[in-house]
Amino acid sequence: MSTATSLPRTPVVVNRPNVTSVGVIVWLGSEVMFFAGLFAIYFTLRSVSPELWAEQSEKLNFPYSLTNTIILVLSSFACQFGVFAAERLQARRTDWKPWNWGLVEWFFVTFAMGAVFVVGQIYEYAMLVTEGVGFQSDSYGSAFYLTTGFHGLHVTGGLFAFLFVIGRTFAVRRFTHKEATTAITVSYYWHFVDVVWIGLFLVIYVLR
């Protein structure tokens, strides 16, 4: 008579995607469609008024806008360094050397660079208004302020998100994967905002 031998069962581990990350990615997909609509509006208005576009685009300060763009792009690198720190669960610096900074320090740098970009954009608006480029002046002004303005609002929203992550990091007693996931999802949004601006910069300031 044989005795049945029961083998120990190995538990099956199911790696489910993080709900927060998936939600942010889906939401960013809708934002892609939103900005696609803004690009469509810009190109449509431009196609019917090429002379106006040629005249008004000459008033843009390309070197100034390029500098502001570089600042925003570099902020994306600072944000990613913060993500690397979050992935190793390092909330704060161990010393003042940048390669030993934590999430808080890198996100502070990202916030500062993003704030400089927003202030720079507001200053550019003020200069263009003095040049006669207003929101209601013509179709060029409407298209310019509509596209860049909505992007500026998205950048401002990202700045509040960085403050939230930094504040939450100081509030918790122990930095865990939950806080790290929040930081990573905020980085998704910030990288998206940077990529959108690169597209806007090429269309508005480079493609004359």
Side-chain angles (χ1 to χ4, degrees), residues 31-40 147 150-151 154 192 196 200:
E31 289 293 289
V32 170
M33 301 304 297
F34 173 78
F35 279 103
L38 293 181
F39 276 102
T147 52
F150 270 113
H151 177 268
H154 280 72
F192 166 78
V196 169
L200 286 173

Side-chain angles (χ1 to χ4, degrees), residues 81-108 163-176 179-180 183:
F81 283 123
V83 170
F84 293 150
E87 289 176 340
R88 61 177 182 266
L89 300 181
Q90 182 184 350
R92 301 177 184 83
R93 63 179 176 83
T94 56
D95 55 48
W96 285 108
K97 297 176 182 178
W99 52 85
N100 292 326
W101 284 1
L103 168 70
V104 170
E105 288 75 29
W106 282 116
F107 270 24
F108 264 128
L163 290 179
F164 171 78
V165 172
I166 293 171
R168 183 178 179 180
T169 302
F170 279 109
V172 297
R173 293 184 177 179
R174 181 170 173 268
F175 190 82
T176 64
E179 287 71 37

Side-chain angles (χ1 to χ4, degrees), residues 66-154:
L66 178 61
T67 302
N68 214 26
T69 299
I70 292 174
I71 292 173
L72 185 64
V73 172
L74 291 178
S75 74
S76 207
F77 287 91
C79 177
Q80 190 58 38
F81 283 123
V83 170
F84 293 150
E87 289 176 340
R88 61 177 182 266
L89 300 181
Q90 182 184 350
R92 301 177 184 83
R93 63 179 176 83
T94 56
D95 55 48
W96 285 108
K97 297 176 182 178
W99 52 85
N100 292 326
W101 284 1
L103 168 70
V104 170
E105 288 75 29
W106 282 116
F107 270 24
F108 264 128
V109 172
T110 307
F111 175 86
M113 298 177 79
V116 169
F117 174 84
V118 172
V119 172
Q121 193 173 39
I122 294 174
Y123 178 79
E124 182 184 24
Y125 285 172
M127 293 299 99
L128 288 174
V129 169
T130 60
E131 293 286 335
V133 182
F135 182 79
Q136 297 181 337
S137 60
D138 47 46
S139 58
Y140 176 85
S142 299
F144 176 83
Y145 290 108
L146 190 67
T147 52
T148 60
F150 270 113
H151 177 268
L153 290 176
H154 280 72

Side-chain angles (χ1 to χ4, degrees), residues 6-28:
S6 59
L7 298 176
R9 294 183 178 181
T10 303
V12 178
V13 179
V14 179
N15 294 321
R16 298 179 179 178
N18 182 272
V19 177
T20 304
S21 299
V22 173
V24 170
I25 292 173
V26 172
W27 175 64
L28 290 180

